Amino acid sequence: MSSSTDLGRPDPPAATSALTRDGRPVSDRGDTVCVIGAGASGLTAVKNLAEHGFGVDCYERETGVGGAWNWRHDRSPVYASTHLISSRPFTQFPDFPMPDDWPDYPHHSQLLSYFERYADHFDLRRHIWFGTEVVRVEPVEGDRWDVTTRSTGGYGPERTSRYAAVVVANGHNWSPKLPRYEGLEGFRGEVMHASSYKDPAQLRGKRVLVVGAGNTGCDIAVEAAQQASRCWHSTRRGYWYAPKYVLGRPADQVNDTLVALRVPLRVRQWLYHWTLRLTVGDLTRFGLPEPDHRVYETHPIANSQLVYYVGHGEITPVPELARFHDRSVELTDGREIDPELVIFATGYLPRFEFLEAKVLGDDEGVGRPRLWLNEFTAGHPTLAVVGLVQPDSGVFTISHWQSVLFARLLRLRATRPDRAAAFHRRVAAGIGERYSGAVKDSTRHWFEVGHADYLRAVQRALDELEAK
């Protein structure tokens, strides 16, 4: 493991010993591994690589750890009331539990303190270059990587370092997905993406239209019901709205019990429908569209308050938008509404600006990497993507085991190259596998996984690596 300076940062890269393809000097970091991002996935990657004996350089564009959960960061999507939608036991890292006296669904400020304590407990900050963004990641001979960095914002010179391997952990909830509508440019009201929403004061006294039925869209609609003078909620399709508690317990814990008992998916779907019928009944009577898919075929919408405010008339469900006029919005059913503020809670797109799309198997450049286990790409055995999943529970446990798998694979390349080569052949054969039932084909749902199925697949991969 590399030592650290008194400033709590990694040692400077070694003396220049090579040149890039275009003649730029390269600092060779030997067997050190580069990790991109110091959010939840990046932190656990740094920890697990270091525990397996690797030197690690982690580049973080912001000034602190936490990634999306650090509200101070420019790219953070969290807002004042953001809480977990997966319960505490199904969110925490397996080797660093959250405090027992925390609520079932902690606040984002508690999550940030959790990551800060995680970084301090495992002494991770000495590996991290804060305020440093990655500009380019390029494969070079010998399955190594040239990583070019600079100070965040483009200030100062660029620097290129050569690494034995790279972990991409830059998150997937920071690049807003913005829809296009006829007439939007001429609309005279205020328009924002949910990434710019931070506080209910932005809604107070206004006529608000919220577009999108993901967890963020539902949260903002509920806050608009409390603060705005009028709230419309537009959705393209029907969704299943899960209460956060079932039978007196967090809903994901009840579902996980059924999964652990290997209850078939169709039975769990029936039980879910039965529970909804007992609690809220048929949601179409409120004007909400009927879902066009089965339960568990999309990321769950965990919100106990949306139906409450719809039922009290504080949220008016409306269909998809057709077009914008200068002071109104026309709906697909022909009605017009007159919002002062439109909030597009339309999600985010995974982006890897520093990598050529084909490196991740995205030959058409459509933003959908082709990966085995949502982690490994064919042809690049020393590259891993950690955290590119939309699970039906928390992501931190998954990121932990993804990084453990990659660390053990890198160690095996040194001790048993034949076994490592066999694993890489398995990568090429496994691309396209799914780790859930049928899901909707959309930019939001294509990388969804069932956490139990996915972790079983990771365990099988670990067993393959460790088999004698």
Side-chain angles (χ1 to χ4, degrees), residues 407-442:
R408 293 183 184 176
L409 174 61
L410 293 180
R411 183 55 61 208
L412 201 65
R413 283 174 58 83
T415 59
R416 291 290 304 274
D418 56 325
R419 295 260 300 282
F423 184 90
H424 296 315
R425 290 192 292 273
R426 173 72 178 90
V427 169
I431 288 177
E433 287 182 357
R434 291 213 56 86
Y435 311 100
S436 67
V439 297
K440 298 292 292 184
D441 183 22
S442 72

Side-chain angles (χ1 to χ4, degrees), residues 232-310:
W232 298 275
H233 189 201
S234 169
T235 60
R236 289 184 300 171
R237 61 172 68 95
Y239 288 90
W240 302 101
Y241 298 98
K244 282 194 166 183
Y245 288 92
V246 175
L247 303 177
R249 297 173 57 199
D252 59 353
Q253 296 180 24
V254 175
N255 180 59
D256 192 73
T257 300
L258 298 176
V259 172
L261 294 172
R262 302 294 181 100
V263 175
L265 175 61
R266 288 297 178 90
V267 176
R268 287 189 288 122
Q269 289 172 328
W270 180 85
L271 288 171
Y272 188 104
H273 292 163
W274 178 75
T275 301
L276 284 186
R277 284 198 299 271
L278 285 179
T279 54
V280 297
D282 181 7
L283 295 182
T284 60
R285 65 193 173 93
F286 295 126
L288 291 165
E290 183 176 359
D292 61 355
H293 56 279
R294 291 179 176 270
V295 176
Y296 305 123
E297 290 182 0
T298 63
H299 195 63
I301 309 300
N303 194 302
S304 299
Q305 299 182 74
L306 183 86
V307 175
Y308 173 88
Y309 281 104
V310 169

Side-chain angles (χ1 to χ4, degrees), residues 60-63 74 130-134 150-155:
E60 169 54 53
R61 71 184 309 275
E62 303 288 354
T63 57
D74 290 342
F130 291 106
T132 304
E133 62 183 352
V134 174
R150 67 186 178 196
S151 295
T152 301
Y155 303 106

